[in-house]
Amino acid sequence: MLVTGRTNWWHGPGTAAFRAYSIGENDESNNRASQPVPILVPDEHRSSVEGVLRIDRDGDRTPGADEVLPGGLVSLYGPTLSPPATITDANGRFRFTDVPAAVHGLGTNGRIGGWQTPETKIAVRADTRVDLVAVPGYEERFAAELALTSGEYAPGDRAEAVATLTNLTGSEMTGVRAYCPQGSGSQATEVDLGALATGGTGVTIPAGASLAFPITATVPAGAPRYGAVVLSCQFGPGARQDERVVITFATASVPGPPGSWSGTYFHDANFNTFVDADELVTGLAVSLVSERTGVVVASGATDLAGQVAFADVPAGLYRVELGGPWDTMTSPEHHYVGTCGWGCNGGSTIKVHPLG
């Protein structure tokens, strides 16, 4: 019998323990066994990871030798690694050293100038070379807009929305479906996708055409604590396949008590993921913009501790906009203000990077 497994944590030599039994068995004294398992201890086996960040303009997964992406932020996700990210050079090359033996994730942590790279899992046991291939974001081929038909709801209301899907290519697109996660808090529930149902056959959108589809959902009971209801969906032929979907959302107000918001901003210049004393960004202009109306409801600048704070802010979902030559790593940043406890009112440390 062949047994396979995976460990995410380690402490000393590895041992696999086994137990077998049969129904009605009375004597289990000989039912247990153990076997030493050879493990490469990450801290004792270190190597390098290097490669080239390439681009695939035509989407055939076979980029040419000159199709490289310089200036891209490549991250390596794994245990006890510092720094976890590096910038590709003029030839698209990246390199990590002193990488512990383990299974790591390698990727670009989002889109770079319209290009996206699926995260790649690599098992590092010795010096490793692997190239990343970035493909055009699906937004270049397919567009989706989602809008609720009312600007304000109450808990329990049945909200109506319209999804407008556009085929930007020169050939028809078949099997287009939607997936809308449903959860607690502000997330709409009991979503009826109609013809776009995840488990259905989907719809066909002719080349260059835009079609509108109705979606209905229920406003959750807890929405007033967030000041909003949110319907978030992803659309595409894959419905739930990351590379073939466009993600969008719509929001409306659900009146609730006001709250406060704060944030601390820093530039992780040495990529060590920690906030060093000289990395706090002071004097940074920060504005809270209502996601529903587009109106700026609060604005200010970070202090000497890199922090900005706003009080008595109407409950709702806000987009955080920055001034000057800075942007967030996951722009745009969205935050709730209200009385929803954890997940509301900011209080987080936010990483920014210089534009250009």
Side-chain angles (χ1 to χ4, degrees):
M1 179 175 64
L2 175 65
V3 178
T4 62
R6 174 183 297 176
T7 180
N8 293 320
W9 304 97
W10 57 91
H11 182 70
T15 300
F18 301 90
R19 179 186 179 191
Y21 65 94
S22 60
I23 297 174
E25 183 178 13
N26 295 319
D27 182 8
E28 296 186 9
S29 61
N30 63 346
N31 288 16
R32 298 174 184 270
S34 62
Q35 175 66 40
V37 178
I39 294 178
L40 287 177
V41 179
D43 290 338
E44 298 176 1
H45 297 79
R46 293 179 176 268
S47 311
S48 65
V49 175
E50 62 180 311
V52 177
L53 178 56
R54 302 188 181 277
I55 55 178
D56 184 13
R57 291 190 175 90
D58 56 10
D60 67 355
R61 295 284 181 172
T62 309
D66 61 340
E67 293 181 308
V68 298
L69 191 59
L73 180 67
V74 177
S75 299
L76 189 63
Y77 310 96
T80 63
L81 179 64
S82 179
T86 188
I87 302 293
T88 57
D89 65 16
N91 296 310
R93 291 192 296 261
F94 60 86
R95 177 177 171 82
F96 297 90
T97 59
D98 202 32
V99 180
V103 175
H104 298 263
L106 181 68
T108 56
N109 192 27
R111 303 182 191 280
I112 303 175
W115 298 91
Q116 66 179 18
T117 306
E119 183 178 313
T120 299
K121 293 291 186 182
I122 55 173
V124 178
R125 298 181 177 87
D127 290 345
T128 303
R129 177 178 173 81
V130 56
D131 288 353
L132 291 176
V133 179
V135 298
Y138 202 67
E139 290 89 346
E140 304 295 323
R141 291 167 277 173
F142 178 73
E145 296 181 0
L146 188 61
L148 289 161
T149 58
S150 176
E152 184 176 306
Y153 294 96
D157 282 350
R158 193 65 182 165
E160 297 180 350
V162 176
T164 303
L165 310 181
T166 303
N167 181 355
L168 302 174
T169 72
S171 57
E172 73 174 15
M173 191 172 287
T174 61
V176 176
R177 292 164 287 162
Y179 169 66
C180 306
Q182 304 176 52
S184 57
S186 67
Q187 197 76 255
T189 62
E190 300 175 328
V191 179
D192 183 353
L193 294 170
L196 297 172
T198 307
T201 58
V203 299
T204 297
I205 304 178
S210 293
L211 299 178
F213 302 91
I215 296 175
T216 59
T218 298
V219 178
R225 296 187 295 115
Y226 297 80
V229 58
V230 174
L231 177 62
S232 176
C233 302
Q234 50 193 52
F235 302 90
R240 299 183 70 172
Q241 297 175 20
D242 292 344
E243 294 183 61
R244 302 181 62 207
V245 298
V246 171
I247 302 174
T248 188
F249 72 94
T251 184
S253 175
V254 181
S260 60
W261 185 89
S262 66
T264 301
Y265 290 83
F266 79 106
H267 173 221
D268 190 19
N270 58 9
F271 299 113
N272 70 351
T273 73
F274 299 105
V275 183
D276 299 319
D278 60 349
E279 293 181 336
L280 294 168
V281 180
T282 63
L284 173 65
V286 181
S287 298
L288 291 184
V289 181
S290 169
E291 188 60 47
R292 183 177 69 85
T293 66
V295 174
V296 177
V297 300
S299 61
T302 55
D303 58 20
L304 294 178
Q307 185 180 72
V308 64
F310 306 114
D312 199 29
V313 179
L317 179 63
Y318 291 91
R319 182 176 67 253
V320 180
E321 294 188 352
L322 306 181
W326 298 97
D327 199 1
T328 58
M329 302 298 291
T330 55
S331 182
E333 288 278 341
H334 291 93
H335 295 266
Y336 287 103
V337 174
T339 56
C340 50
W342 186 87
C344 263
N345 308 326
S348 57
T349 300
I350 303 166
K351 187 186 303 185
V352 296
H353 66 92
L355 295 173

